[in-house]
Structure formats: structure tokens, C-alpha cells
Amino acid sequence: MHSPYSPSPPPLGILRNAAYRCAYPGVEESVSAARERLAQAVTASGLGGDIADTAALCLSEFATNAVVHAIGHQSHPRFVVHVSVMGHRCRYLRLEVHDPDGTHRPVFPSRDEAPLLLLEGADEATSGRGLAMVAAMADRTGVDVGPIWKSVWCELRIDEHTNGRPSPDVQGRAAEAFPAGVTPAGRAACP
């Protein structure tokens, strides 16, 4: 269970497949607490500002939806945030919010449809566009559902750059592995 007095999360991005998981009470104040903890991990990792801002926005949307739509009727309301860095050749920051409502399954629009949905009714709508916003920004999105839970998630591709400058060790490894742009057979390119 997450405690505001627990130590800071481990840095993300320094090690591949790094992760942290925190549980939060199902109250509005927990959304900002989850966002702050994510910011600490991303800042400690040296990941770029764009991915940090996008991750914070996506996590805020997922956590807010969990508090507003899924947790309100639960006897012990809480949600769990799981953040991880995954992948080898292509690395992704994966954000997941788990809540105890397996009956409500949100639906993401496709990445192509999302910008159009955001423009439709832009002046009138005060809510209901968050998943379209996430779908427009994330590389992958999804919902996993179990009998008494669900997990809403997105993945953001991490560019192998630090603060806008190419990371020399990444470029060196790539140059050695793939001289003059040769791509080995059987390897899928990053989407």
C-alpha cells in the first residue's frame, strides 16, 4: 500500500525494465499524488520533458477516471498505478492504472480518430475527451479486464535521446550492430 511517507520511486529509464507500483486511496487528492510520484521517477531518470509531460497527462486522465467512474461505489476504494520501462531495441514507458471495477470497460478511439473527436464539440464539452487525448498522444493504448478488476494502460515510446541530444552510447551500439543502415533479417523495426 502506498504511503506518502514511503521512499521515492526508483528512477525509470536508467535500467531496462525498471518499474514501480503504488496503491492510492480512491479520492481526488490521490490523482495529484500519483502524478507527483511519477514526476519524481521521470526526473530522476533523466527522461526528456516531452515524455514527462505526456506521461503526467495520461496518468492524470487514467487516475481521474478511476476515482470518478470506477471507485465511487466500492467499499474499500483504491487504485493502483504501475509504471514501467519496457523493451530492448525499442523502449516504452508503460503507464497502467488498475481499479476494482471489472464491469465498466472504457473504449479508446483509434489514434487516427482521436484528433477528430477532440475537435468535435471542442467549445461545448467540459469532459469526456480524456481517452481521445491519451489515444492521440500514446503509441499504444488498451484495457485489460478481469472478473473484479480492470487495467487501463498506455505506452509512450522513449526516444534514445537525452535532453534533445543523442546519447553517444546508444548511437555507438547502433552503429556497431547495424553498420551503414543494414537491418538484420527477422528483426521488426520500431513502429
Side-chain angles (χ1 to χ4, degrees):
M1 186 77 155
H2 168 71
S3 164
Y5 305 107
S6 63
S8 296
L12 300 169
I14 293 172
L15 299 173
R16 294 182 197 270
N17 303 322
Y20 76 88
R21 181 182 302 261
C22 297
Y24 296 91
V27 294
E28 289 180 24
E29 294 80 14
S30 294
V31 175
S32 61
R35 191 174 48 242
E36 288 170 19
R37 191 162 175 101
L38 173 68
Q40 288 175 351
V42 170
T43 300
S45 301
L47 294 175
D50 287 345
I51 198 166
D53 293 343
T54 302
L57 186 64
C58 294
L59 180 62
S60 292
E61 177 59 29
F62 292 165
T64 299
N65 282 353
V67 169
V68 171
H69 301 296
I71 293 178
H73 61 279
Q74 301 293 323
S75 58
H76 298 288
R78 73 178 197 143
F79 64 93
V80 177
V81 173
H82 184 226
V83 180
S84 58
V85 175
M86 301 171 30
H88 297 286
R89 186 163 171 245
C90 300
R91 292 181 19 176
Y92 290 88
L93 179 65
R94 182 176 173 108
L95 307 169
E96 302 173 30
V97 172
H98 304 259
D99 67 58
D101 182 7
T103 60
H104 174 70
R105 182 184 175 123
V107 177
F108 285 96
S110 74
R111 193 167 187 181
D112 294 334
E113 295 170 333
L116 299 173
L117 292 172
L118 291 170
L119 291 174
E120 289 177 7
D123 296 335
E124 302 88 30
T126 59
S127 66
R129 297 179 301 186
L131 292 180
M133 196 168 40
V134 172
M137 295 184 298
D139 293 287
R140 299 176 189 148
T141 58
V143 179
D144 299 325
V145 179
I148 59 169
W149 60 270
K150 78 170 168 292
S151 173
V152 181
W153 57 269
C154 70
E155 293 178 351
L156 308 171
R157 183 165 177 204
I158 299 172
D159 291 329
E160 296 286 1
H161 289 71
T162 304
N163 298 326
R165 295 185 310 272
S167 173
D169 59 326
V170 171
Q171 283 188 331
R173 287 193 316 263
E176 289 173 0
F178 307 110
V182 175
T183 303
R187 280 214 165 155
C190 295

